Amino acid sequence: MSYEGCTQFEDLGRGATASAATAALWRTHQETCAECRAQERADALLREVMRAVEPPTVENGLEGRVVARLLATPVTRGVAGAHLFLLLCGGFATAAGAWILAPPAPLLNPEVLRNLVLGGALLSPLILMGGLRRAVTRLLGAP
Amino acid sequence: MQDEEILRQLREHPDPRLFELLVERYRGPVVRLVLALLGPRLADDAEDVTQEVFLRAYEGLAGFRQESRFATWLYRITYNLALDRLRRAARRPVVALDEERRAELSAPGESPFEHLARSDRARLVRDCLEELPPPYQAALRLFYWLDVPVEEIAALLGVSVGTVKSYLCRGRTRLIRVLERRGVGR
């Protein structure tokens, strides 16, 4: 326990200059100060409890895995980009097909169909950018 | 090679392999800070968070203006990402793992009942520790669990040595209060 532990002691020890005098003052103070006793109890408890758990060791080779993931990132972006492009193409092709096949009396209102397709084309890339990119990064980056 | 030199070279030629030098250099401190914030219960996530920290740092290198040291900037990212993980874990509570219980060392000559009682008490103290503010938790875990000197704790948390001592002191006081509220530690 350090002397900094107790604010009351700091006030008390301000006048003491020699370390031996401070130590003697500290011993006397500690016996009566409730704050110090609580600190000591917590200190002992923490030492007992925390030291009883073995800290996990992170495996060697973390550097390699980080770099592998960094190197994988542009590839991942490429994959996500390709999917995005395909989705947009698919969306536009479907919309165009719907316009061509059913212009005057469509089964489904072309306006609604167009909105659906466009909505899908806009939303899917967002999902891809988040989920797929993460999944592919993990797949390529973590050997 | 100094950090500044590596960063200068990275700005000229972004190369993950060069960044590997920084990962190698700061891996240990980053892992310690992550572990200190996540605690033993979420320790299995430490490696994952550490990887995320370095990826985030690499992606953000262009925005790093060197107004602070690279280490300070990196530890700030670590702190934020570890807290994010903690928040996510709070939304999806993690059941204490058996590994944590197994990792607790049995004292020599201790009966199974004594060991159980002690490990239950230890679990309770660790639970109470999780009720403290993150800087206090981090300081206490770094100091008591990971044996990190006060000077290094100060660097990891980006505060002065005096502030770390104050975190430790207030952390201990608050821990005792939480324990007393739960009827333990009297």
Side-chain angles (χ1 to χ4, degrees), chain A residues 31-51:
Chain A
E31 285 164 15
T32 50
C33 178
E35 193 182 325
C36 285
R37 293 173 89 89
Q39 284 282 325
E40 282 219 324
R41 214 163 61 237
D43 183 68
L45 203 59
L46 281 163
R47 274 179 209 283
E48 180 203 317
V49 166
M50 300 309 285
R51 301 254 159 103

PDB file of all heavy atoms in Angstrom, chain A residues 31-51:
ATOM      1  N   GLU A  31      -3.323   2.350  12.045  1.00  0.00           N
ATOM      2  CA  GLU A  31      -4.025   1.568  13.065  1.00  0.00           C
ATOM      3  C   GLU A  31      -5.403   2.138  13.386  1.00  0.00           C
ATOM      4  O   GLU A  31      -6.300   1.412  13.795  1.00  0.00           O
ATOM      5  CB  GLU A  31      -3.178   1.506  14.348  1.00  0.00           C
ATOM      6  CG  GLU A  31      -2.009   0.543  14.213  1.00  0.00           C
ATOM      7  CD  GLU A  31      -0.967   0.752  15.293  1.00  0.00           C
ATOM      8  OE1 GLU A  31      -1.263   1.428  16.299  1.00  0.00           O
ATOM      9  OE2 GLU A  31       0.154   0.252  15.116  1.00  0.00           O
ATOM     10  N   THR A  32      -5.565   3.411  13.164  1.00  0.00           N
ATOM     11  CA  THR A  32      -6.828   4.036  13.569  1.00  0.00           C
ATOM     12  C   THR A  32      -7.707   4.480  12.399  1.00  0.00           C
ATOM     13  O   THR A  32      -8.915   4.628  12.573  1.00  0.00           O
ATOM     14  CB  THR A  32      -6.551   5.282  14.435  1.00  0.00           C
ATOM     15  OG1 THR A  32      -5.606   6.078  13.731  1.00  0.00           O
ATOM     16  CG2 THR A  32      -5.994   4.903  15.798  1.00  0.00           C
ATOM     17  N   CYS A  33      -7.116   4.691  11.238  1.00  0.00           N
ATOM     18  CA  CYS A  33      -7.875   5.281  10.122  1.00  0.00           C
ATOM     19  C   CYS A  33      -8.773   4.242   9.423  1.00  0.00           C
ATOM     20  O   CYS A  33      -8.291   3.229   8.912  1.00  0.00           O
ATOM     21  CB  CYS A  33      -6.918   5.891   9.112  1.00  0.00           C
ATOM     22  SG  CYS A  33      -7.759   6.567   7.694  1.00  0.00           S
ATOM     23  N   ALA A  34     -10.073   4.535   9.371  1.00  0.00           N
ATOM     24  CA  ALA A  34     -11.031   3.612   8.760  1.00  0.00           C
ATOM     25  C   ALA A  34     -10.802   3.514   7.251  1.00  0.00           C
ATOM     26  O   ALA A  34     -10.937   2.441   6.657  1.00  0.00           O
ATOM     27  CB  ALA A  34     -12.442   4.098   9.039  1.00  0.00           C
ATOM     28  N   GLU A  35     -10.436   4.646   6.652  1.00  0.00           N
ATOM     29  CA  GLU A  35     -10.210   4.682   5.207  1.00  0.00           C
ATOM     30  C   GLU A  35      -9.057   3.751   4.841  1.00  0.00           C
ATOM     31  O   GLU A  35      -9.133   2.979   3.884  1.00  0.00           O
ATOM     32  CB  GLU A  35      -9.899   6.124   4.793  1.00  0.00           C
ATOM     33  CG  GLU A  35      -9.946   6.349   3.300  1.00  0.00           C
ATOM     34  CD  GLU A  35      -9.593   7.785   2.922  1.00  0.00           C
ATOM     35  OE1 GLU A  35      -9.950   8.706   3.681  1.00  0.00           O
ATOM     36  OE2 GLU A  35      -8.950   7.972   1.886  1.00  0.00           O
ATOM     37  N   CYS A  36      -7.986   3.820   5.646  1.00  0.00           N
ATOM     38  CA  CYS A  36      -6.819   2.973   5.388  1.00  0.00           C
ATOM     39  C   CYS A  36      -7.151   1.499   5.552  1.00  0.00           C
ATOM     40  O   CYS A  36      -6.706   0.668   4.771  1.00  0.00           O
ATOM     41  CB  CYS A  36      -5.687   3.323   6.347  1.00  0.00           C
ATOM     42  SG  CYS A  36      -4.894   4.848   5.925  1.00  0.00           S
ATOM     43  N   ARG A  37      -7.948   1.198   6.552  1.00  0.00           N
ATOM     44  CA  ARG A  37      -8.294  -0.205   6.799  1.00  0.00           C
ATOM     45  C   ARG A  37      -9.126  -0.756   5.642  1.00  0.00           C
ATOM     46  O   ARG A  37      -8.927  -1.896   5.218  1.00  0.00           O
ATOM     47  CB  ARG A  37      -9.037  -0.332   8.128  1.00  0.00           C
ATOM     48  CG  ARG A  37      -8.140  -0.011   9.322  1.00  0.00           C
ATOM     49  CD  ARG A  37      -8.956   0.014  10.592  1.00  0.00           C
ATOM     50  NE  ARG A  37      -9.022  -1.315  11.199  1.00  0.00           N
ATOM     51  CZ  ARG A  37      -8.125  -1.757  12.072  1.00  0.00           C
ATOM     52  NH1 ARG A  37      -7.108  -0.999  12.416  1.00  0.00           N
ATOM     53  NH2 ARG A  37      -8.233  -2.952  12.586  1.00  0.00           N
ATOM     54  N   ALA A  38     -10.059   0.071   5.142  1.00  0.00           N
ATOM     55  CA  ALA A  38     -10.879  -0.359   3.994  1.00  0.00           C
ATOM     56  C   ALA A  38     -10.001  -0.583   2.770  1.00  0.00           C
ATOM     57  O   ALA A  38     -10.161  -1.559   2.042  1.00  0.00           O
ATOM     58  CB  ALA A  38     -11.943   0.689   3.697  1.00  0.00           C
ATOM     59  N   GLN A  39      -9.042   0.326   2.581  1.00  0.00           N
ATOM     60  CA  GLN A  39      -8.114   0.209   1.446  1.00  0.00           C
ATOM     61  C   GLN A  39      -7.297  -1.078   1.552  1.00  0.00           C
ATOM     62  O   GLN A  39      -7.123  -1.793   0.581  1.00  0.00           O
ATOM     63  CB  GLN A  39      -7.161   1.409   1.432  1.00  0.00           C
ATOM     64  CG  GLN A  39      -7.773   2.694   0.940  1.00  0.00           C
ATOM     65  CD  GLN A  39      -7.879   2.741  -0.577  1.00  0.00           C
ATOM     66  OE1 GLN A  39      -7.024   2.237  -1.276  1.00  0.00           O
ATOM     67  NE2 GLN A  39      -8.945   3.319  -1.066  1.00  0.00           N
ATOM     68  N   GLU A  40      -6.824  -1.348   2.756  1.00  0.00           N
ATOM     69  CA  GLU A  40      -6.012  -2.549   2.975  1.00  0.00           C
ATOM     70  C   GLU A  40      -6.811  -3.812   2.718  1.00  0.00           C
ATOM     71  O   GLU A  40      -6.314  -4.759   2.123  1.00  0.00           O
ATOM     72  CB  GLU A  40      -5.492  -2.558   4.410  1.00  0.00           C
ATOM     73  CG  GLU A  40      -4.319  -1.647   4.616  1.00  0.00           C
ATOM     74  CD  GLU A  40      -3.300  -2.262   5.536  1.00  0.00           C
ATOM     75  OE1 GLU A  40      -3.739  -2.947   6.472  1.00  0.00           O
ATOM     76  OE2 GLU A  40      -2.100  -2.058   5.312  1.00  0.00           O
ATOM     77  N   ARG A  41      -8.073  -3.778   3.186  1.00  0.00           N
ATOM     78  CA  ARG A  41      -8.935  -4.947   2.998  1.00  0.00           C
ATOM     79  C   ARG A  41      -9.164  -5.190   1.505  1.00  0.00           C
ATOM     80  O   ARG A  41      -9.043  -6.315   1.016  1.00  0.00           O
ATOM     81  CB  ARG A  41     -10.261  -4.693   3.705  1.00  0.00           C
ATOM     82  CG  ARG A  41     -10.865  -5.946   4.278  1.00  0.00           C
ATOM     83  CD  ARG A  41     -11.927  -5.679   5.309  1.00  0.00           C
ATOM     84  NE  ARG A  41     -13.069  -4.928   4.810  1.00  0.00           N
ATOM     85  CZ  ARG A  41     -13.483  -3.780   5.324  1.00  0.00           C
ATOM     86  NH1 ARG A  41     -12.840  -3.232   6.326  1.00  0.00           N
ATOM     87  NH2 ARG A  41     -14.534  -3.169   4.841  1.00  0.00           N
ATOM     88  N   ALA A  42      -9.440  -4.106   0.776  1.00  0.00           N
ATOM     89  CA  ALA A  42      -9.664  -4.231  -0.664  1.00  0.00           C
ATOM     90  C   ALA A  42      -8.398  -4.695  -1.366  1.00  0.00           C
ATOM     91  O   ALA A  42      -8.452  -5.530  -2.274  1.00  0.00           O
ATOM     92  CB  ALA A  42     -10.120  -2.887  -1.229  1.00  0.00           C
ATOM     93  N   ASP A  43      -7.273  -4.161  -0.906  1.00  0.00           N
ATOM     94  CA  ASP A  43      -5.989  -4.538  -1.511  1.00  0.00           C
ATOM     95  C   ASP A  43      -5.739  -6.042  -1.346  1.00  0.00           C
ATOM     96  O   ASP A  43      -5.419  -6.730  -2.321  1.00  0.00           O
ATOM     97  CB  ASP A  43      -4.871  -3.732  -0.827  1.00  0.00           C
ATOM     98  CG  ASP A  43      -3.510  -4.011  -1.428  1.00  0.00           C
ATOM     99  OD1 ASP A  43      -3.304  -3.616  -2.577  1.00  0.00           O
ATOM    100  OD2 ASP A  43      -2.680  -4.641  -0.749  1.00  0.00           O
ATOM    101  N   ALA A  44      -5.957  -6.547  -0.139  1.00  0.00           N
ATOM    102  CA  ALA A  44      -5.720  -7.966   0.129  1.00  0.00           C
ATOM    103  C   ALA A  44      -6.681  -8.832  -0.674  1.00  0.00           C
ATOM    104  O   ALA A  44      -6.293  -9.845  -1.266  1.00  0.00           O
ATOM    105  CB  ALA A  44      -5.883  -8.236   1.624  1.00  0.00           C
ATOM    106  N   LEU A  45      -7.928  -8.391  -0.725  1.00  0.00           N
ATOM    107  CA  LEU A  45      -8.956  -9.138  -1.452  1.00  0.00           C
ATOM    108  C   LEU A  45      -8.636  -9.214  -2.945  1.00  0.00           C
ATOM    109  O   LEU A  45      -8.700 -10.281  -3.564  1.00  0.00           O
ATOM    110  CB  LEU A  45     -10.293  -8.425  -1.239  1.00  0.00           C
ATOM    111  CG  LEU A  45     -11.565  -9.233  -1.415  1.00  0.00           C
ATOM    112  CD1 LEU A  45     -11.584 -10.405  -0.461  1.00  0.00           C
ATOM    113  CD2 LEU A  45     -12.772  -8.335  -1.168  1.00  0.00           C
ATOM    114  N   LEU A  46      -8.264  -8.074  -3.497  1.00  0.00           N
ATOM    115  CA  LEU A  46      -7.958  -8.024  -4.922  1.00  0.00           C
ATOM    116  C   LEU A  46      -6.734  -8.878  -5.250  1.00  0.00           C
ATOM    117  O   LEU A  46      -6.707  -9.567  -6.261  1.00  0.00           O
ATOM    118  CB  LEU A  46      -7.734  -6.583  -5.372  1.00  0.00           C
ATOM    119  CG  LEU A  46      -9.015  -5.793  -5.597  1.00  0.00           C
ATOM    120  CD1 LEU A  46      -8.735  -4.303  -5.634  1.00  0.00           C
ATOM    121  CD2 LEU A  46      -9.685  -6.225  -6.895  1.00  0.00           C
ATOM    122  N   ARG A  47      -5.734  -8.810  -4.377  1.00  0.00           N
ATOM    123  CA  ARG A  47      -4.545  -9.634  -4.612  1.00  0.00           C
ATOM    124  C   ARG A  47      -4.913 -11.110  -4.632  1.00  0.00           C
ATOM    125  O   ARG A  47      -4.500 -11.854  -5.519  1.00  0.00           O
ATOM    126  CB  ARG A  47      -3.496  -9.391  -3.522  1.00  0.00           C
ATOM    127  CG  ARG A  47      -2.609  -8.224  -3.838  1.00  0.00           C
ATOM    128  CD  ARG A  47      -1.595  -7.950  -2.776  1.00  0.00           C
ATOM    129  NE  ARG A  47      -1.275  -6.540  -2.763  1.00  0.00           N
ATOM    130  CZ  ARG A  47      -0.486  -5.950  -3.646  1.00  0.00           C
ATOM    131  NH1 ARG A  47       0.094  -6.658  -4.582  1.00  0.00           N
ATOM    132  NH2 ARG A  47      -0.258  -4.647  -3.597  1.00  0.00           N
ATOM    133  N   GLU A  48      -5.749 -11.500  -3.665  1.00  0.00           N
ATOM    134  CA  GLU A  48      -6.126 -12.912  -3.565  1.00  0.00           C
ATOM    135  C   GLU A  48      -6.968 -13.335  -4.781  1.00  0.00           C
ATOM    136  O   GLU A  48      -6.698 -14.352  -5.409  1.00  0.00           O
ATOM    137  CB  GLU A  48      -6.925 -13.114  -2.271  1.00  0.00           C
ATOM    138  CG  GLU A  48      -7.371 -14.554  -2.068  1.00  0.00           C
ATOM    139  CD  GLU A  48      -8.580 -14.656  -1.160  1.00  0.00           C
ATOM    140  OE1 GLU A  48      -8.610 -13.951  -0.137  1.00  0.00           O
ATOM    141  OE2 GLU A  48      -9.485 -15.444  -1.487  1.00  0.00           O
ATOM    142  N   VAL A  49      -7.961 -12.519  -5.104  1.00  0.00           N
ATOM    143  CA  VAL A  49      -8.927 -12.896  -6.136  1.00  0.00           C
ATOM    144  C   VAL A  49      -8.348 -12.812  -7.547  1.00  0.00           C
ATOM    145  O   VAL A  49      -8.482 -13.736  -8.342  1.00  0.00           O
ATOM    146  CB  VAL A  49     -10.182 -12.001  -6.006  1.00  0.00           C
ATOM    147  CG1 VAL A  49     -11.059 -12.111  -7.227  1.00  0.00           C
ATOM    148  CG2 VAL A  49     -10.942 -12.378  -4.758  1.00  0.00           C
ATOM    149  N   MET A  50      -7.686 -11.711  -7.832  1.00  0.00           N
ATOM    150  CA  MET A  50      -7.209 -11.518  -9.202  1.00  0.00           C
ATOM    151  C   MET A  50      -6.018 -12.408  -9.528  1.00  0.00           C
ATOM    152  O   MET A  50      -5.900 -12.909 -10.635  1.00  0.00           O
ATOM    153  CB  MET A  50      -6.846 -10.051  -9.453  1.00  0.00           C
ATOM    154  CG  MET A  50      -7.980  -9.072  -9.272  1.00  0.00           C
ATOM    155  SD  MET A  50      -9.489  -9.492 -10.155  1.00  0.00           S
ATOM    156  CE  MET A  50      -9.079  -9.088 -11.821  1.00  0.00           C
ATOM    157  N   ARG A  51      -5.167 -12.611  -8.549  1.00  0.00           N
ATOM    158  CA  ARG A  51      -3.984 -13.442  -8.828  1.00  0.00           C
ATOM    159  C   ARG A  51      -4.360 -14.913  -8.962  1.00  0.00           C
ATOM    160  O   ARG A  51      -3.572 -15.717  -9.442  1.00  0.00           O
ATOM    161  CB  ARG A  51      -2.941 -13.270  -7.710  1.00  0.00           C
ATOM    162  CG  ARG A  51      -2.492 -11.830  -7.543  1.00  0.00           C
ATOM    163  CD  ARG A  51      -1.104 -11.583  -8.090  1.00  0.00           C
ATOM    164  NE  ARG A  51      -0.918 -10.159  -8.367  1.00  0.00           N
ATOM    165  CZ  ARG A  51      -0.239  -9.324  -7.607  1.00  0.00           C
ATOM    166  NH1 ARG A  51       0.343  -9.764  -6.524  1.00  0.00           N
ATOM    167  NH2 ARG A  51      -0.103  -8.057  -7.946  1.00  0.00           N
TER     168      ARG A  51
END
